[in-house]
Amino acid sequence: MNIVVIGSQWGDEGKGKLIDILSQNTDITARYQGGNNAGHTVIVDDKQYIFHLLPSAILHEGKVCVIGNGVVVDPKALLVEIEELAGKGIKVSAERLRISGLCHVVMPYHRILDGLRETKRKNKIGTTGRGIGPCYADKVTRCGIRVIDLLNPKMLKEKLADNLREKNEIFRKVYGRNDFRFRNIYQEYLAYGKALAPYVCDTAIYLNEAIDQKKSVLFEGAQGTFLDIDFGTYPFVTSSNSIVGGVCAGTGVPPTKIDKAIACVKAYTTRVGEGPFPTEFSTHLEDVIRQKGKEYGATTGRPRRCGWFDSLLVRYSVIINGISELAIMKLDVLDELKEIKICTAYKHKGKIYKTFPMDFEVISEAKPVYETMPGWCTPLTAIRKYGDLPKNARAYLERLEELLKVKVKYISIGSSRSAIIFR
Ligand code: IMO
Ligand code: MG
């Protein structure tokens, strides 16, 4: 069975934890888009691991992790991640990590440009500053450098020289910055190529052959549906296709080989960075939820914005991702609330919207229409059976199922690996 797990909101839905659990029963876990802008937190035996580029499944011995061609790789960040894991006793051997030679490489000028572009914008995106947008831009402009180029000194030399010729002029004339020195970058990235070489292969062939041999693959989405470059709240999005559709282009595994898509959904909503957020709390509730849910970005440490559950967002995500199962994460964060709201529509200039609108002005200005449900006011973390959940908690979940037209299969009620209910 080949399964995709995606985020249904603005990222940080708890994908890391779900992947950690599901990957125990799959052979291979593959990333297909994004880069080290992602931050997936997994807590095992009170030890916290935060993954940025490596699939969270790397924690399981004997399982293979793949970084598919759709991912943008910052080699420095990846090598640090591998080293840090080694320090915690987890060895990432070449048998356990496969990186596509076709992945585009995040270069120093991408990281710098990410920050500089933000300073020039009137409406800042609030990016993670990891160079993700500029790297994908170069991929599409057709001047990007790929992982395979790092293994070929002649190719790297040509491409890097070509890039610096143009980029240095932009840095000087537009941003008043000093030049990037060819020699330094060339030597640095050749060394990365050497360090990564053992992991590099044609991951499209690797994955397809594995699937033909009846091995199972879990595709790990980064970010969320509303950060998707096409379907997200553009321009406040990331630069890749985080939706299920991104899997095929980002790994070379065809749609006919994908069996199922699971949506990871937070029991409320959060967002890091700028951009519209119709159900954002305007009250002290934001502090309450942020504290209880530890809502700080795993990559940048920024406080996450928090709000009520928005069923328009998630229903849209269910449709475009072909979701057949929901994983509701962090339900326990709502434990102490007397009342819980669910957004069931937007209202804008007298018009009611029942599906997520396209018009940025509507999304930005719409007022949410809420349904209010009673809270359960009971700690959920120790519960392991659906039937043992308080009546009001079940009513909340079942109302979400009605609105989203999908069954809830997993319910996370705490941060540890074991704090999950399978239904
Ligand atoms: P995971 O995988 C939450 C947000 C940034 C910013 C926008 C664009 O942990 O869910 P970028 O650096 O990608 O160009 O920034 O996207 N963003 C995320 N927000 N979780 C993430 O990943 C994110 N990755 C990017 O905050 O608003
Ligand atoms: Mg995250």
Side-chain angles (χ1 to χ4, degrees), residues 11 19 42-43 62 78 129 214 216 225 273 291 354 393:
I19 299 277
V42 179
I43 297 173
L78 179 58
K214 303 285 173 258
S216 51
T225 302
Q291 291 316 318
K354 292 249 172 194

Side-chain angles (χ1 to χ4, degrees), residues 10-15 37-41 50-52 223 272 296-299 304:
W10 281 290
D12 304 318
E13 295 90 350
K15 299 179 290 290
N37 48 348
H40 297 167
T41 309
I50 298 179
F51 298 101
H52 298 289
Q223 290 86 46
V272 202
Y296 295 89
T299 299
R304 295 180 185 138

Side-chain angles (χ1 to χ4, degrees), residues 10-12 15 37-40 125-129 132-133 222-223 227 237-238 272-274 302:
W10 281 290
D12 304 318
K15 299 179 290 290
N37 48 348
H40 297 167
I125 299 171
T127 72
T128 59
I132 306 300
Q223 290 86 46
L227 288 172
V237 294
T238 193
V272 202
E274 304 303 320
R302 291 177 288 176

